[in-house]
Amino acid sequence: MNRNQNKQAKNKQTTTTEYFSIKITLLNDWHIGSGAGVPGDIDSLVQKDQNGLPYIPAKTLTGILRDSCELVAFGLDNGAEDGLWQQWVDYLFGEQPSLAKLPIEKAPIPAALSIRAAYFSEPFVAALNSKPNVKNAITFIKPGISIDPVSGCAKEDFLRFEEVVRGGAVLEAKCELSLLGNKKQKEAAYALLASGAKLVERLGGKRRRGTGKCTLVIQDNNQPAINWVDWISKNQPQTIPQVSEPDNRTNTQYITKNKNTEWVEVNLEITTKSPLIIAKRTVGNIVETLDYIPGTHLLKLIIKKLSGLGVDLSQAIAHSDIILTNATLQVNQQQGRPVPLALFYEKLGGGLDKGGKVYNRFCEDEPGGQLKGYRAGYITSVDEKTLPKYATVKMTVGTHNTIDDQVQRPTGDLGGIYSYEAIQPGTKFQASLKLRRDIANVLDNNHQNWHTSLCGDYRIGQSKKDDYGNIHIKVINYPKSTHQHSTIKNNELTVWLLSDILLRDERLRPTTDINALKAELEKHLQVKLAPKDCQEQKLSFIARTHRIDSWQVRWGLPRPSLVGLAAGSCIIFTVTEGTIKPELLAEIEARGIGERRVEGYGQICFNAPLLIQPTSTLQTPENPKNNQKEDSLKAVNYQLEDDQNLITYARIIEQAAWRDIMHQASLYLATDTQFRKQILDINIENGESKPPMSQLGSLRSVLSHIKSPADESVNKWIEHLQKTTNRAEKWPSSSLNQLRELINNPTVIWKYLSLALTNLEHKDGFSEFTITQTGEATLKQELWAEAIQILIDACIRAHKRELEKHQKIVNNRAKNHGKKNSISN
């Protein structure tokens, strides 16, 4: 086979995507810290997801699995640093340029394996969300100390408390493996991953001190049940697939002559399924994120989906005949627009979010008092009577670290500890895909429902192969023609930038000069413009600049920064020569101005109704009451069944929740004298306990051995007590009968505790602490003896405290009486 044939064979290879999951079973208590705590209470909190439940971050799982696979590869390669199996590790998990000892001559290999975070199953999450009292019992607080290595004793002032997740949990992580190779190479990849998973014994914090014991199992229904360890021993190592860029070129040529000026628009809804990082800048060890998704991140995904449908989209991109706008926050089911910088609000009165007055500084003078301008947020399109609805993107922060293999701890040489600011999961954005009518017609002819191919799950942004960047795209309308109607009033043109605009001056240097924007508009509108003269306290333009630091993901190196006029900037121009044609305004609004319009830059709006009228007199839009979410939460009452793994762990959490509430209910009953009398009929007569504390101590000792209602140990103790006259006389007449009823009737203890729960505002009783169908009946049987012991112990302790208080009062009276007698003598 000659060189050309080899090249054709490589080009014919296609990348196949395999989906599988990793099942993680935590055999004992575990802790994966969030890097934060509660001052004065808890030193280290467990990392939790958007449902408030513990989970295993993808970075933790990926790091542990890679470390195990490296150990397997080291053994299979007989200790060679660059052996074939080590190359497989780099192919699956990606190369690490930061560890390279020599200059890198070619682009680092990206990771073929994507591991997502491990979560509890959906039924289990739904059950816990419906029962918050059980949900809180999934973790507990564990005390700890620090040992002095010299003395071997605990250090003073080193007591710490950590939140720990109860053992027995079963979590599952979704994985995606993109392979370019033959069957044997795929089997080699699975064999390495499965062998590495078998070596993982512990994960999370304090795993070298007993916590985090676990098992990992690779689950793939599409793969046959193979003993991968035996496969490695019987098969020779396979070479890694050759990484090559896919060729998406098509034979159809896009003709740019006589283009149809009409545009077709497809609205896309993007929902974040995991935290999303669109890198904005790095400040120290914190990576900040943008509050929108640039079209740059989405364009490659869309082009890849549409390639092969009969249009050479590379030509369309080169001629700016396809545009993908930035995905901005969805506000009131519409694509949000950046707040115009011309809007100001009273500092004390609040703005759009609080229903305060908003002033348009283009049309209104500055009122008395201090005003503030908007720097973030998005609004909807509005009519001429009401203010727009306003919303901001909610952010979250995740803390991570880079482990040095030598010391097995984070070190500054490899990045140490760093934090990612990210957009919260569940955030919805909207973007617009604009195409020339000619392109849309070709797509319609080749594939009638071509827009449906855009729907699906994608990965974008930074750290997209693990914890971040998982999104879902949905088409929310069929392709429609854009119809822009902008009018000119008083010979003025109000410009509102809907996205950053990249311009160049006469020397082709990037610029943020307003005059460059004026020149660009004059060229396209075929008129002469001049900035409007300011009158009184009004403004004629408010603009800011924005800088985006681009990044080359594969090489891990920066690209040239992009500096332009920021979205939200507003300028008023006066037409000094010529007449603006409405169709030219519509064309500019559809395709934008400036550079890199295909990626969403240069979007613009002319003479928006909000900016050409005073806004202080506009009404605040009413927020409709939406109790649907609250009603749905109240109506849902999930209970687990069938799955034995879920039932087993759910029972562990239920027991913890029941024990906690039993203590609370028992303390509530014990603090009331009437309840103690009703339960045991113990009281205080003439300053003495009846029965004496020695008898109550004996009762508590006997109850510590009770196991079930059929246990005769307490009944025998009561019979022996009644036969001993001098002891029986010390007990109230009905006390022993009430004790016998409490011990022999299994329902009595639960009747008392249920009464306490009702008074503690738990109207549904123990069902509020149960998530399994048979849980209440089973736990009442299993925890009966423990409930008896807790209640009796609480009553005895409360009785003793009251007795000590009574005796203290008597002793004080006696002392005061003695002092009076001595004074009189």
Side-chain angles (χ1 to χ4, degrees):
M1 186 180 290
N2 57 31
R3 183 179 301 176
N4 292 333
Q5 290 175 334
N6 285 332
K7 185 175 182 181
Q8 291 176 1
K10 287 183 180 180
N11 290 335
K12 288 182 179 179
Q13 285 185 335
T14 57
T15 301
T16 59
T17 303
E18 304 284 341
Y19 298 94
F20 63 95
S21 61
I22 300 178
K23 180 181 178 182
I24 305 100
T25 303
L26 280 306
L27 303 179
N28 62 356
D29 301 336
W30 53 286
H31 171 89
I32 296 179
S34 63
V38 179
D41 188 6
I42 304 174
D43 294 279
S44 180
L45 292 172
V46 167
Q47 193 161 351
K48 298 179 181 178
D49 59 14
Q50 62 270 22
N51 291 310
L53 293 174
Y55 73 103
I56 302 176
K59 290 186 179 297
T60 299
L61 192 56
T62 302
I64 288 291
L65 186 57
R66 176 169 189 150
D67 190 62
S68 298
C69 289
E70 286 178 345
L71 185 61
V72 172
F74 183 81
L76 295 176
D77 291 332
N78 296 322
E81 292 186 359
D82 195 22
L84 187 57
W85 284 108
Q86 181 58 47
Q87 294 178 23
W88 266 106
V89 173
D90 292 337
Y91 177 82
L92 293 175
F93 295 93
E95 286 187 323
Q96 299 172 303
S98 60
L99 300 181
K101 299 179 180 178
L102 299 175
I104 303 175
E105 297 180 355
K106 60 180 181 179
I109 299 175
L113 176 65
S114 173
I115 301 178
R116 290 295 171 184
Y119 299 98
F120 290 103
S121 64
E122 292 183 1
F124 187 74
V125 173
L128 289 181
N129 284 337
S130 65
K131 300 293 180 65
N133 295 311
V134 185
K135 184 177 179 179
N136 295 332
I138 199 170
T139 61
F140 65 96
I141 307 304
K142 181 179 179 180
I145 58 173
S146 180
I147 302 297
D148 190 337
V150 178
S151 65
C153 299
K155 293 182 180 180
E156 294 184 0
D157 299 329
F158 270 81
L159 178 64
R160 57 183 286 110
F161 295 94
E162 297 176 340
E163 187 180 23
V164 180
V165 188
R166 300 185 190 277
V170 179
L171 300 93
E172 185 174 339
K174 302 295 183 181
C175 302
E176 180 181 331
L177 181 60
S178 299
L179 283 174
L180 179 67
N182 54 39
K183 180 180 178 181
K184 282 292 185 181
Q185 289 174 326
K186 294 178 182 179
E187 290 178 348
Y190 273 100
L192 179 59
L193 290 175
S195 301
K198 284 184 175 295
L199 289 184
V200 177
E201 296 180 348
R202 297 181 182 275
L203 57 79
K206 305 292 184 182
R207 60 180 180 272
R208 295 177 181 83
R209 292 181 173 87
T211 61
K213 189 175 182 180
C214 66
T215 60
L216 267 65
V217 178
I218 303 292
Q219 294 183 329
D220 186 4
N221 297 328
N222 298 323
Q223 287 288 336
I226 299 176
N227 189 329
W228 294 111
V229 177
D230 291 342
W231 187 95
I232 290 181
S233 63
K234 296 177 182 178
N235 292 270
Q236 295 296 324
Q238 298 292 316
T239 58
I240 64 173
Q242 296 296 321
V243 179
S244 61
E245 291 293 334
D247 188 1
N248 294 325
R249 292 176 296 178
T250 61
N251 295 325
T252 303
Q253 294 296 320
Y254 174 65
I255 301 175
T256 60
K257 295 180 181 180
N258 301 323
K259 291 186 295 186
N260 193 325
T261 58
E262 183 181 359
W263 289 83
V264 172
E265 184 176 356
V266 180
N267 291 337
L268 306 175
E269 182 183 83
I270 298 99
T271 304
T272 58
K273 300 178 65 176
S274 66
L276 175 63
I277 306 172
I278 305 296
K280 177 183 178 182
R281 62 174 182 170
T282 301
V283 182
N285 63 341
I286 299 177
V287 177
E288 297 181 348
T289 182
L290 297 172
D291 62 350
Y292 64 93
I293 305 175
T296 309
H297 290 254
L298 300 172
L299 183 63
K300 182 179 179 180
L301 307 176
I302 300 302
I303 296 302
K304 185 177 180 180
K305 282 289 184 179
L306 296 181
S307 295
L309 296 182
V311 176
D312 187 356
L313 295 177
S314 61
Q315 293 291 326
I317 292 175
H319 292 86
S320 300
D321 292 334
I322 180 172
I323 293 174
L324 187 58
T325 66
N326 297 336
T328 54
L329 182 66
Q330 179 175 283
V331 183
N332 196 26
Q333 305 303 317
Q334 301 177 20
Q335 182 178 7
R337 296 182 169 189
V339 179
L341 300 183
L343 299 185
F344 286 74
Y345 64 94
E346 296 177 352
K347 182 177 180 179
L348 299 179
L352 294 170
D353 54 337
K354 297 182 179 180
K357 282 190 175 184
V358 178
Y359 299 90
N360 179 7
R361 293 301 311 281
F362 283 171
C363 304
E364 299 175 279
D365 296 333
E366 182 176 2
Q370 186 174 358
L371 295 183
K372 293 191 67 176
Y374 286 94
R375 291 184 174 271
Y378 297 88
I379 60 174
T380 58
S381 56
V382 295
D383 54 28
E384 298 180 356
K385 296 182 180 180
T386 59
L387 288 171
K389 290 189 176 181
Y390 171 82
T392 57
V393 178
K394 296 182 179 179
M395 303 292 184
T396 183
V397 177
T399 302
H400 309 278
N401 58 64
T402 304
I403 302 297
D404 191 329
D405 291 338
Q406 297 296 327
V407 299
Q408 288 292 294
R409 289 183 179 276
T411 61
D413 296 337
L414 296 178
I417 298 175
Y418 57 95
S419 298
Y420 282 147
E421 181 187 45
I423 299 170
Q424 283 190 359
T427 306
K428 291 187 177 182
F429 298 87
Q430 281 195 23
S432 295
L433 174 63
K434 300 178 182 180
L435 308 95
R436 292 282 187 183
R437 170 57 70 182
D438 296 337
I439 305 176
N441 290 338
V442 175
L443 289 172
D444 288 334
N445 293 333
N446 294 340
H447 196 288
Q448 186 176 3
N449 294 322
W450 59 269
H451 54 277
T452 59
S453 64
L454 305 179
C455 301
D457 292 338
Y458 301 88
R459 292 181 290 150
I460 64 172
Q462 189 164 335
S463 194
K464 60 186 177 184
K465 71 180 181 64
D466 39 56
D467 289 292
Y468 300 90
N470 193 11
I471 64 171
H472 178 77
I473 295 181
K474 180 178 71 172
V475 176
I476 57 178
N477 73 314
Y478 290 101
K480 63 179 182 179
S481 299
T482 59
H483 297 282
Q484 305 287 347
H485 299 283
S486 298
T487 58
I488 300 297
K489 293 183 178 180
N490 300 326
N491 220 28
E492 293 181 351
L493 184 66
T494 302
V495 179
W496 174 18
L497 304 190
L498 302 182
S499 66
D500 295 353
I501 289 185
L502 304 179
L503 300 171
R504 292 184 183 272
D505 59 14
E506 62 276 3
R507 297 184 180 181
L508 301 182
R509 295 179 301 185
T511 181
T512 58
D513 191 355
I514 299 296
N515 292 322
L517 175 61
K518 179 178 76 69
E520 188 75 10
L521 291 174
E522 288 177 341
K523 180 178 68 174
H524 292 287
L525 294 176
Q526 301 173 9
V527 295
K528 293 296 182 179
L529 303 174
K532 181 182 177 181
D533 294 333
C534 298
Q535 298 179 0
E536 299 178 354
Q537 296 181 1
K538 299 182 181 67
L539 302 177
S540 62
F541 73 91
I542 303 177
R544 293 196 183 104
T545 61
H546 187 214
R547 170 177 172 173
I548 295 180
D549 295 322
S550 300
W551 190 258
Q552 167 55 262
V553 176
R554 176 172 291 188
W555 281 95
L557 296 174
R559 283 176 173 171
S561 298
L562 304 177
V563 182
L565 290 171
S569 299
C570 304
I571 309 99
I572 301 179
F573 293 106
T574 302
V575 181
T576 59
E577 183 179 333
T579 303
I580 295 180
K581 299 178 181 179
E583 57 270 18
L584 293 180
L585 290 178
E587 173 67 14
I588 294 178
E589 286 187 331
R591 67 175 180 82
I593 62 172
E595 296 183 345
R596 304 181 71 160
R597 303 191 306 274
V598 177
E599 305 170 43
Y601 292 95
Q603 294 298 302
I604 198 168
C605 177
F606 295 115
N607 292 343
L610 185 66
L611 296 178
I612 59 177
Q613 64 175 334
T615 56
S616 60
T617 57
L618 298 182
Q619 299 178 357
T620 303
E622 296 182 0
N623 293 323
K625 295 182 179 180
N626 186 11
N627 297 326
Q628 183 177 359
K629 185 175 181 180
E630 297 180 0
D631 295 339
S632 62
L633 291 176
K634 293 178 181 178
V636 171
N637 186 5
Y638 292 97
Q639 288 188 325
L640 299 176
E641 58 180 346
D642 298 335
D643 193 331
Q644 189 59 41
N645 290 329
L646 295 182
I647 294 294
T648 302
Y649 189 58
R651 190 56 46 79
I652 294 174
I653 301 175
E654 283 179 336
Q655 287 181 349
W658 274 53
R659 286 191 174 102
D660 182 64
I661 197 60
M662 284 192 306
H663 279 282
Q664 295 182 33
S666 298
L667 290 175
Y668 175 81
L669 295 174
T671 53
D672 193 318
T673 305
Q674 296 299 323
F675 277 128
R676 292 203 305 271
K677 185 174 180 63
Q678 182 180 352
I679 297 170
L680 283 181
D681 194 22
I682 56 178
N683 52 59
I684 300 174
E685 295 182 1
N686 300 324
E688 298 292 335
S689 173
K690 190 172 183 180
M693 291 304 302
S694 60
Q695 292 293 309
L696 293 177
S698 178
L699 172 61
R700 188 162 52 182
S701 177
V702 173
L703 289 176
S704 63
H705 302 288
I706 193 173
K707 296 181 180 179
S708 65
D711 197 326
E712 294 295 329
S713 58
V714 178
N715 288 323
K716 291 180 180 179
W717 181 82
I718 294 176
E719 293 176 0
H720 179 73
L721 180 65
Q722 290 177 332
K723 292 178 181 179
T724 308
T725 306
N726 61 337
R727 293 183 181 177
E729 292 177 350
K730 297 178 180 179
W731 286 79
S733 57
S734 61
S735 182
L736 295 178
N737 294 331
Q738 292 177 210
L739 178 61
R740 186 181 283 109
E741 177 68 13
L742 181 64
I743 297 301
N744 295 327
N745 190 343
T747 62
V748 174
I749 180 64
W750 303 117
K751 181 183 69 174
Y752 287 140
L753 295 180
S754 298
L755 177 61
L757 292 182
T758 303
N759 293 331
L760 291 173
E761 298 183 354
H762 296 292
K763 297 181 180 180
D764 294 333
F766 284 99
S767 64
E768 294 185 17
F769 305 87
T770 311
I771 58 175
T772 58
Q773 289 188 343
T774 60
E776 187 168 349
T778 303
L779 290 173
K780 282 184 176 180
Q781 182 178 358
E782 293 178 352
L783 300 179
W784 177 84
E786 192 170 341
I788 293 286
Q789 296 164 0
I790 292 173
L791 179 60
I792 299 300
D793 182 75
C795 290
I796 293 175
R797 291 178 182 275
H799 175 72
K800 182 179 180 181
R801 286 193 297 269
E802 186 175 345
L803 177 64
E804 291 174 346
K805 182 179 179 180
H806 183 80
Q807 290 176 346
K808 185 176 181 180
I809 294 175
V810 173
N811 293 334
N812 289 336
R813 288 177 180 176
K815 289 181 180 180
N816 293 333
H817 182 72
K819 290 180 180 179
K820 290 180 180 180
N821 291 336
S822 61
I823 292 173
S824 61
N825 293 333

